[in-house]
């Protein structure tokens, strides 16, 4: 195992634009660096679910369109009936990988390191919802979409994982790397109307 | 502003605005529309009609306007065909009427009107036939010179557009009394409500009337209600917003004009217009009704307008339609208009009522005010050219004909009212069924098929009290359905307004001559110049369906889509056919309700945001290196890297030489990668690939072809066995998503018993292909701990280890024929790897190469590219790749299809090499091949799929699919005539290192 | 825009899905199926005017396949049901064509 | 048939246009016909016309459930071209194009057939390869075709944005100068009038509800106007092909989808050719009335609803505005849909069915308007002689068993 050098954000090329991405009532920041694992477990395999939950410090959410934060700081995103995205701080990646793998060994599952596959953008502020409404067909109204709601959907012309993290509202938008510059550019454009002056 | 009343109206007299129309300067006030400001200035002539270039004026005061169409603004911001009745005035506005040259006042094309007898409905189908050659050279160009109304801008649009998606429990369309009370009721119950109205302010018809609600002026009540709605957190009101389309599953779309009314004063950064895509729980349609004109001889002169429009100009804009008006009606309600005019100090010369004994409540008051009342009469002619100057009123006989008694009445405006058509457009778009009510001659909403209800005038409830009550009841019901409130409507406010009164439908007033004789025109469709005679002609010629008549005469096909014309038209058709109105039926209502700009439909998906550009981790490096990118699907891949003044050819040759002689690197990150895990992973691969994977050893890699069950190749790639039950599959760049879906589809729908998980890791791994005889040296410098010799790291195997300081997977596969390593590192280290390779490779002459060089190199080696050597009609056998088709496996996708007759044909197109006799000539890819020279038609025997100047061989090479080609090696054939029938030889499809001696370096 | 109920994610716009065509077309045994049978499997469709049993996949979401009965005239979705289960009865379930 | 001309117009003007005869009769159905054609679209009417005009079979009825020409004939974007890739297609469509070239005079009806050129745009290397392949093939098949550079594209259609800075720059184009448009309604009406004049009964508001088959042979049809016996029957119902096939007891490799189109408000003409781009899914032309006629993509779910969703139109508007920026402020005036019958290989089915005496012509999908004359011509031949003409023989139903598809997807050109 090599001592990993610092990763480079897929949005590195947009760093300057993002640094200035503050419009009236909404901000956009790059939160790409983190550990991410795609986890597949047959939901009928209760033991596997329990084992994973034990390591993660909280059970994998079974309710569609939700995310759960565990006691040891992992965020578990529901992606499908047998699919989750497990995320945590970047530096905990290797360890998480090892322990999960160890616990699930011998059971039918798939644990895939996708830490480097996505960019994550944080969009926050009272106008954040309105910015998203410009490109997302889902109902983002607080009656329907709340903190810990997490969906996979289309935002503009990119597929994203959209996770509301608080009721400012703030969102984390996770998108495949190759679409990230497009999506960030799109978001900056959608925010332009709220920019002063 | 000669016709502006001294006081009254809802305009802001403190703000005077200047504008130019048809070259003349005018003034108006804030709150005016272009139409109201013109009327206040005494101008009725605006533009010219489509076919006969007849003078056109303002007919209505709203969205239904067919006639007063203008070209707004100039230069890049000019906009064609706007309705003057909906253009809000701003300072500095310039506009001109459409379809007139040099001006609406003096239009040179007005001669067409004089030839009108030659131009009845559908005349163009009957002529311009001889001589046939004249159609293209003379007739059609002339027709096209006359075509169209306004002009498209000549420069790109400087403004921006955007979209919003929104959900609500209750969507209320229309902000008149019915809509407002529906929104109030639903909003108070707590539902999420959206109210849209296409006017600048709420109030609907109330704004143009003097009715009172809750003890105050109706417009003021609407203003107050708007305030109440604005205060409700869950209610969103959008004005200047047209709900234009009602689609399936209660999906609706609206079109908001955000800055148009501000003219040049619009704030920068705000989109000009916005498209709203709405998903509604329930919909309340409160879209009101459109007054319908009466059809009489020359009813289209400027100065002739709808009675309700005149009333609105008077009450909303304090503008009189003229000095002396004549009212022509078939109903009681219109008397109110005359009454309002008289009250405001205007003059009404006469009321002409076609009913023999009307009992309009306001009639006595009007008589008292000196207004002449002509009952049982009709307007039989109008006079004046660019403005109506007088009318001939004629007494009707018992059969509806003229009795002979006539009066000439001087006037400068004629106000017509033929009753009201409920605005059922959206209801009908929603796939709701309409019903016909004989008594009032109206189409009404019948059975709905979606979650909606209709309130107010749109539902045929023309009385104000009824509108308010109906709106409230439906609003409360809609909220209840969404789970808010108990469905009890709030009490309706008291009103002071006359009841609508009686009406006798009246479809066609006789003229002085029989219909179609003489010059007079009974205009049905003011925009397209469709007359009652045209409709009768169509019926006479056998066009019986209303849809045929629409298309033959073009009635209702203009920019207004017949809002004022259609019902009159079909009633006239019914009469001509001896049928009833409902038997004739109506033409289909279609979106949009009123026209919507392409810009708004595009939203912000234009320019760089039109479609995502997918970028790799090294994209910024490529950009800085000045690479020319090749679009591959949404990806941008480096195509070639120009150096100094290299042209494409020189750059590609240089890149190829570097790979063959030293080392090159290619950004291969775009290849699809799928991680496949599970005890049945091997079974899955054995089914989806033509060859076997069960025999593949861990740590080894195998190339495979994927076919559909029709036997045709659709993808290829290498798959590595990383563990007993763990594979990494690669796919072509363009097919990555498709292949993953393909696997999932089979797993979920056909073989659910297989225990396999597939996960895309395309963008987890950045991939660099390092190729060339020096590749090993370069890699060794970056991966000192990795054994790279051919024995420890054989061809078609995979190793994990550290490269350039990061964990990597390295594959020994080769798409160039040279010694080659495909190095995969996490995407976030892709750029680091690239930089490290460039640095470490510098002493070995490392050269980045693009997709073009890659294509050349692989073609030299005879490797196919799916999508280039294949086109969806190619089998593995056609490609000469039988070696990769398992004979042992009982079943796999594609196999069965090869037994079919067509797959067994001897003369299928097969992959071969092609060498031009002249080694310098490079055939264009796609070139067709023939057996002999001559004059077309010549049978084709195949086509060139790939073709390049090969720097390695110093000559051109090509791959081709040729009928029965494998058996024809050595034969001479010819390229298509475009190349001058270049002679070529059929060869093996491998030109370089056919033994594979180079792949180990 | 149709709104389809993904059995997992709930109502989502049609644009999030891949339409999978007619449901219940099982892949026949290649060993025992003649050319005509294979052609039928590959290409022949009932394409009814009325209730249609069809497949959808929630491409932008959970990527799961499922079946639906939809009226091809009104576009009303009558039922959603899992892959692998037989076609349920539906109100008005007698299609023209078939 | 009274002849239409400028003189007849002038003559009739004198009598206030009161003496024009019906363009076609509205007869009641007879109990039996030699041939019944189901569907009075352009193809059905053309079939009847050629049966009468070329094969002397005049005891023919065309049965139409609605109004003649009200199906896809009346709702298509009217692109006419013959630059198809495969020999079989090129032969059929070119035959059709040749018929178009004299059709207005033959039918004595101005179809406003206008050969102002069809320009297909090229946006990437792959497009260029396909374009070269197709242009070469066309020329070898004696079909006119040209490959244009970006500059030539710009010269031919100056309003196109040929800047290299666009998201999908234009790398060139292919041009068929003989391609163009025709007035869709006039085509139906012209054929109807000419067929009617030769004795064909066109019966509207007459829906076929059943097909009578005895011992494997068709004997007639059930309709909303009663039973009609027929020796031979042709199914020519476009989007409803599967429904009629089901009545006769067989299935087709066809799925029906809504295909949308839209028109803008009428503008002074600025676009004089047909622009098509497969790469960004655009096709647009401007009619002789001035409206831009624009086709959208297929709505994916099978449907007989003759309506689509706005998203399908939205998807394409970004591309239109990108290609032709001056259209951004132009407005959509009306949008609609037709139901198209799509075959897996994007080629039609014309020929015999499993039922003897029953013939079918369908599966034209998004591109059959251009084939109207040729399609009617070959179907008339097939019905009259009982055997397919060499032009339509490859388009038989059994190709789905043999695998001999005519896969026009391979040509990658939009099929309109
Ligand atoms: C939006 C759109 C754009 C298109 N653009 C182009 C283009 O640019 N170029 C091109 O070449 N093609 C185009 N097409 C395709 C083209 O319109 C069709 O392929 C062609 O018009 C089919 O003609 P038809 O006569 O077979 O069908 P139709 O005109 O549809 O006629 C079939 C008739 O059968 C009738 N019918 C159905 N069922 C019954 C029954 N049970 N009993 C009696 N009658 C019945 C129908 O009412 C209909 O009138 C387009 C299609 C659409 C929808
Ligand atoms: N005297 C009569 O015979 C008579 C007849 C009809 C109506 N009226 C009067 O008219 C009023 C009718 O009230 P109402 O509320 O039913 O209708 P309304 O006409 O007052 O309001 C309808 C509103 O909907 C808007 N609208 C229509 N279509 C729209 C669309 N697609 N998108 C956005 N906005 C759209 C209109 O601009 C208008 O503002 C009452 O005051 C009634 O007395 C009188
Ligand atoms: C080539 C073409 C041009 C058209 N031009 C117009 C037009 O100028 N105005 C109009 O209202 N409709 C126009 N239409 C659309 C028709 O009004 C109608 O929508 C179409 O024939 C489908 O019929 P339906 O909407 O009645 O179902 C046009 C249709 C076609 C095919
Ligand atoms: Zn889902």
């Amino acid at each position: 195992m090599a001592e990993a050098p610092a990763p480079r954000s897929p949005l590195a090329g947009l760093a300057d634009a993002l640094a200035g991405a503050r419009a009236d009532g909404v901000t956009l920041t790059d939160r790409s660096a983190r550990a991410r694992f795609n986890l597949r477990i047959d939901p009928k395999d209760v033991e596997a679910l329990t084992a994973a939950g034990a390591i993660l410090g909280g059970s994998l959410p079974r309710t569609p369109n939700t995310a759960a934060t565990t006691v040891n700081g992992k965020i578990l995103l529901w992606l499908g009936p047998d699919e989750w995205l497990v995320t945590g701080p970047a530096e905990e990646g290797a360890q998480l990988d090892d322990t999960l793998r160890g616990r699930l060994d011998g059971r039918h599952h798939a644990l895939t390191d996708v830490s480097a596959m996505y960019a994550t953008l944080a969009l926050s502020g009272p106008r954040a919802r309105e910015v998203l409404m410009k490109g997302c067909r889902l109902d983002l109204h607080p009656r329907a979409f709340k903190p810990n709601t997490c969906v996979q959907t289309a935002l503009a012309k990119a597929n994203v994982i959209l996770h509301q993290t608080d009721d400012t509202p703030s969102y984390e938008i996770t998108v495949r790397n190759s679409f990230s510059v497009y999506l960030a550019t799109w978001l900056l454009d959608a925010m332009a109307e709220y920019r002063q002056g | 502003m000669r016709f502006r009343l001294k006081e009254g109206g809802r305009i802001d007299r403190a703000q005077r605005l200047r504008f130019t129309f048809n070259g003349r300067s005018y003034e108006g006030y804030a709150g005016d529309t272009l139409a109201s400001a013109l009327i206040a200035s005494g101008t009725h002539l605006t533009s010219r009609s489509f076919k006969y270039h007849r003078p056109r004026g303002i007919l209505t005061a709203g969205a239904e306007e067919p006639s007063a169409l203008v070209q707004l603004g100039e230069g890049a911001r000019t906009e064609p065909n706007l309705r003057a009745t909906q253009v809000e005035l701003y300072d500095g506005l310039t506009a001109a009427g459409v379809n007139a040259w040099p001006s609406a006042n003096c239009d040179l094309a007005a001669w067409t009107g004089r030839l009108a007898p030659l131009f009845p409905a559908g005349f163009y189908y009957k002529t311009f036939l001889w001589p046939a050659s004249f159609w293209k050279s003379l007739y059609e160009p002339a027709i096209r010179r006359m075509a169209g109304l306004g002009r498209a801008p000549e420069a790109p649009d400087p403004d921006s557009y955007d979209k919003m998606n929104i959900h609500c429990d209750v969507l209320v369309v229309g902000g008149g009394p019915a809509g407002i009370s529906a929104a109030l009721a639903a909003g108070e119950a707590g539902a999420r409500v959206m109210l849209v109205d296409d006017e600048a302010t709420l109030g609907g018809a109330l704004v143009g009337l003097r009715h009172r609600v809750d003890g105050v002026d109706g417009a003021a009540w609407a203003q107050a209600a708007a305030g109440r709605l604005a205060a409700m957190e869950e209610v969103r009101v959008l004005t200047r917003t047209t709900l234009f389309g009602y689609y399936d599953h209660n999906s609706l779309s609206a079109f908001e004009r955000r800055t148009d009314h501000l003219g040049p004063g619009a704030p920068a950064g705000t989109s000009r217009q916005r498209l709203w895509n709405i998903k509604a729980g329930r919909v309340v349609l409160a879209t009101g009704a459109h007054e319908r004109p009466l059809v009489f001889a020359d009813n289209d002169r400027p100065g002739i307008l709808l009675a309700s429009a005149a009333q609105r100009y008077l009450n909303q804009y304090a503008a009189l339609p003229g000095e002396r008006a004549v009212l022509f009606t078939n109903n009681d309600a219109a008397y109110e208009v005359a009454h309002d005019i008289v009250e405001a100090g205007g003059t009404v010369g006469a009321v002409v009522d076609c009913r023999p004994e009307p009992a309009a409540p306001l009639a006595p008051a009007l008589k008292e005010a000196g207004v002449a009342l002509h009952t049982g009469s009709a307007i039989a002619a109008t006079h004046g050219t660019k403005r109506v100057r007088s009318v001939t009123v004629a007494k009707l006989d018992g059969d509806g004909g003229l009795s002979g008694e006539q009066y000439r009445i001087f006037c400068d405006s004629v106000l017509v009212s033929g009753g009201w058509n409920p605005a059922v457009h959206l209801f009908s778009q929603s796939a709701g069924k309409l019903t016909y009510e004989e008594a009032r001659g109206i189409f009404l909403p019948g059975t709905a098929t979606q979650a909606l209800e209709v309130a107010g005038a749109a539902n045929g409830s023309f009385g104000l009290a009824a509108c308010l009550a109906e709106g409230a009841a439906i609003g409360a019901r809609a909220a209840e359905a969404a789970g808010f409130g108990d469905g009890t409507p709030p009490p309706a406010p008291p009103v002071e307004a006359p009841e609508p009164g009686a009406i006798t439908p009246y479809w066609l007033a006789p003229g002085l001559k029989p219909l179609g004789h003489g010059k007079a025109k009974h205009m049905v469709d003011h925009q397209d110049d469709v007359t009652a005679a045209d409709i009768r002609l169509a019926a006479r010629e056998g066009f019986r369906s209303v849809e045929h008549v629409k298309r033959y005469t073009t009635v209702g096909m203009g920019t207004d889509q017949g809002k004022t014309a259609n019902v009159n038209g079909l009633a006239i058709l019914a009469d001509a056919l001896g049928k009833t109105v409902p038997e004739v039926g109506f033409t289909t209502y279609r979106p949009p309700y009123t026209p919507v700009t392409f810009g708004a439909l595009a939203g912000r998906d234009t320019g760089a945001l039109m479609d995502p550009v997918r970028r790799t981790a090294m994209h910024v490096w490529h950009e800085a290196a000045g690479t020319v990118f090749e679009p591959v699907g949404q990806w941008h891949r480096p195509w070639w890297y120009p150096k100094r003044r290299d042209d494409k050819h020189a750059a590609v040759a240089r890149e190829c030489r570097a790979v063959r002689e030293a080392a090159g690197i290619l950004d291969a990150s775009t290849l699809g990668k799928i991680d496949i895990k599970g005890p049945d992973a091997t079974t899955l691969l054995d089914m989806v690939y033509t060859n076997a994977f069960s025999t593949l050893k861990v740590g080894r890699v195998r190339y495979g072809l994927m076919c559909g069950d029709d036997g045709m190749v659709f993808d290829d790639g290498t798959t590595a066995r990383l563990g007993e039950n763990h594979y990494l599959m690669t796919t072509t760049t363009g097919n990555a998503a498709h292949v993953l879906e393909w696997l999932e589809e089979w797993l979920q729908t056909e073989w659910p018993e297989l225990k396999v998980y597939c996960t895309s890791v395309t963008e987890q791994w950045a991939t660099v292909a390092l190729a060339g005889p020096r590749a090993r040296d370069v890699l060794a410098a970056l991966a000192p701990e990795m054994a790279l010799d051919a024995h420890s790291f054989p061809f078609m195997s995979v190793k994990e280890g550290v490269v350039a300081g990061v964990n990597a997977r390295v594959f020994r596969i080769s798409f160039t024929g040279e010694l080659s390593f495909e190095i995969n590192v996490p995407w976030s280290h892709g750029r680091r790897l690239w930089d490290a390779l460039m640095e470490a490779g510098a002493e070995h002459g490392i050269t980045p190469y693009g997709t073009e060089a890659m294509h050349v190199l692989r073609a030299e080696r005879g490797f196919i590219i799916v999508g280039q050597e294949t086109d969806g009609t190619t089998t593995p056998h056609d490609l000469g790749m039988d070696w990769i088709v398992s004979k042992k496996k009982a079943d796999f996708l594609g196999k069965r299809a090869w037994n079919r007759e067509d797959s067994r044909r001897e003369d299928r197109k097969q992959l071969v090499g092609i060498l031009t006799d002249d080694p310098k000539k490079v055939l264009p890819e796609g070139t067709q091949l023939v057996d002999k020279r001559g004059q077309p038609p010549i049978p084709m025997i195949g086509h060139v799929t790939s073709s390049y100047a090969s720097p390695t061989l110093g000559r051109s090479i090509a791959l081709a699919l040729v009928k029965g080609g494998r058996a024809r090696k050595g034969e001479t054939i010819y390229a298509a005539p475009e190349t001058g029938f270049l002679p070529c030889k059929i060869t093996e499809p491998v030109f370089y290192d056919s033994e594979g001696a180079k792949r180990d370096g | 825009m149709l709104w389809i109920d993904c059995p997992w994610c709930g109502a989502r716009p049609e644009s999030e899905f891949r339409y999978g065509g007619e449901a219940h077309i099982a892949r026949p045994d290649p060993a025992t199926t003649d050319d005509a049978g294979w052609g039928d499997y590959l290409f022949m469709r009932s394409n009814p005017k009325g209730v249609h049993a069809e497949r959808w996949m929630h491409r932008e979401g959970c990527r799961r396949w499922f079946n639906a009965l939809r009226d091809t005239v009104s576009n009303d979705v009558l039922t959603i049901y899992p892959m692998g289960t037989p076609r349920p009865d539906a109100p008005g379930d007698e299609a023209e064509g078939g | 048939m009274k002849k239409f001309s400028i003189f007849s117009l002038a003559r009739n003007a004198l009598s206030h246009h009161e003496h024009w005869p019906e363009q076609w009769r509205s007869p009641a159905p007879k109990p039996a016909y030699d041939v019944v054609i189901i569907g009075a679209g352009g193809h059905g009417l053309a079939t009847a016309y050629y049966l009468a005009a070329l094969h002397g079979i005049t005891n023919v009825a065309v049965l139409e459930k609605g109004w003649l020409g009200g199906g896809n004939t009346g709702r298509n974007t009217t692109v006419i071209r013959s630059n198809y890739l495969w020999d079989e297609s090129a032969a059929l469509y070119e035959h059709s194009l040749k018929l178009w070239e004299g059709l207005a005079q033959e039918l004595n009806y101005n179809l406003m057939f206008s050969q102002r050129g069809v320009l297909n745009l090229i946006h990437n290397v792959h497009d260029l390869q396909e374009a070269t392949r197709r242009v070469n093939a066309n020329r070898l098949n004696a079909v006119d075709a040209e490959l244009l550079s970006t500059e030539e594209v710009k010269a031919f259609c100056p309003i196109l944005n040929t800047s290299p800075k666009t998201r999908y720059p234009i790398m060139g184009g292919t041009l068929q100068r003989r391609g163009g448009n025709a007035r869709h309604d006039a085509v139906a009406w012209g054929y109807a009038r000419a067929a009617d004049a030769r004795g064909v009964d066109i019966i509207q508001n007459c829906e076929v509800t059943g097909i009578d088959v005895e011992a494997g042979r068709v004997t007639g049809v059930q309709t909303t106007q009663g039973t009609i016996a027929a020796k031979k029957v042709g199914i020519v119902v476009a989007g409803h092909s599967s429904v009629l096939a089901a009545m006769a007891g067989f299935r087709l490799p066809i799925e029906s989808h809504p295909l949308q189109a839209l028109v803008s408000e009428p503008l002074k003409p600025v676009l004089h050719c047909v622009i098509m781009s497969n790469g960004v899914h655009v096709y647009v032309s401007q009619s002789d009335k001035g409206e831009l006629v624009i086709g959208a993509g297929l709505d994916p779910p099978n449907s007989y609803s003759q309506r689509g969703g706005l998203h399908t139109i939205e998807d394409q508007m970004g591309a239109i505005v990108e290609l032709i920026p001056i259209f951004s402020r132009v407005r959509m005036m009306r949008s609609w849909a037709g139901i198209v019958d799509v075959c897996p290989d994007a080629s039609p089915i014309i020929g015999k069915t499993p039922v003897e005496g029953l013939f079918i012509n369908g599966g034209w999908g998004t591109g059959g308007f251009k084939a109207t004359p040729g399609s009617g011509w070959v179907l008339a031949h097939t019905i009259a002689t009982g055997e397919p003409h060499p032009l339509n023989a490859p388009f038989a139903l059994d190709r789905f068993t043999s695998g001999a598809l005519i896969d026009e997807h391979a040509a990658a050109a939009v099929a309109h």
Side-chain angles (χ1 to χ4, degrees), chain A residues 1-8 10 13 38 40-42 82 101 108-118 130 132-141 143-144 157-158 176-179 181-182 185-186 189-190 192-194, chain B residues 162-167 169 190-192 234 236 258 269-270 274 277 484 604-605 609-615 620 634-635 675 677-679 744 755-764 802 805-807 826-829 831-832:
Chain A
M1 278 289 147
E3 191 52 46
R8 184 183 162 94
N38 184 292
R40 305 288 298 267
I41 297 178
D42 182 345
D82 61 357
R101 202 173 296 281
H108 174 44
H109 77 285
L111 178 69
T112 311
D113 185 350
V114 288
S115 302
M117 186 150 122
Y118 297 100
E130 206 165 307
L132 291 179
M133 281 165 64
K134 296 184 183 190
C136 175
R137 294 252 180 192
L138 303 191
D139 189 358
L140 301 174
H141 188 275
R143 286 183 186 170
K157 293 192 177 180
R176 285 164 163 254
N177 288 325
S178 65
F179 290 94
V181 170
Y182 157 78
T185 312
W186 185 92
D189 187 60
E193 121 171 65
Y194 311 114
Chain B
D162 71 358
K163 296 185 189 176
M164 278 281 183
N165 302 291
I166 194 162
H167 294 241
D169 298 321
R192 246 199 287 165
E234 296 302 345
R236 188 189 287 253
R258 302 181 77 199
T270 305
R274 174 173 278 175
N277 285 320
F484 298 90
R604 55 181 71 242
D605 295 338
L609 298 177
M610 178 195 146
D611 200 36
V613 173
R614 296 182 70 182
R615 296 164 168 90
V620 176
Q634 290 172 317
W635 290 98
D675 193 275
K677 286 198 188 89
E744 283 288 352
K755 288 189 170 202
V756 189
Y757 288 124
C758 302
T759 309
S760 166
V761 289
T762 301
E763 286 141 282
Q764 166 68 15
V802 175
V806 290
N807 293 328
W827 197 275
S828 46
H829 297 302
R831 173 65 188 275
R832 158 184 302 271

Side-chain angles (χ1 to χ4, degrees), chain A residues 65 78-79, chain C residues 6-10 12 17 58 61-64 66:
Chain A
N65 304 330
W78 183 95
L79 298 184
Chain C
C6 168
W8 299 103
C9 306
R12 295 295 186 98
F17 295 85
H58 190 194
C62 63
R63 299 191 299 127
R64 299 300 98 189
F66 57 91

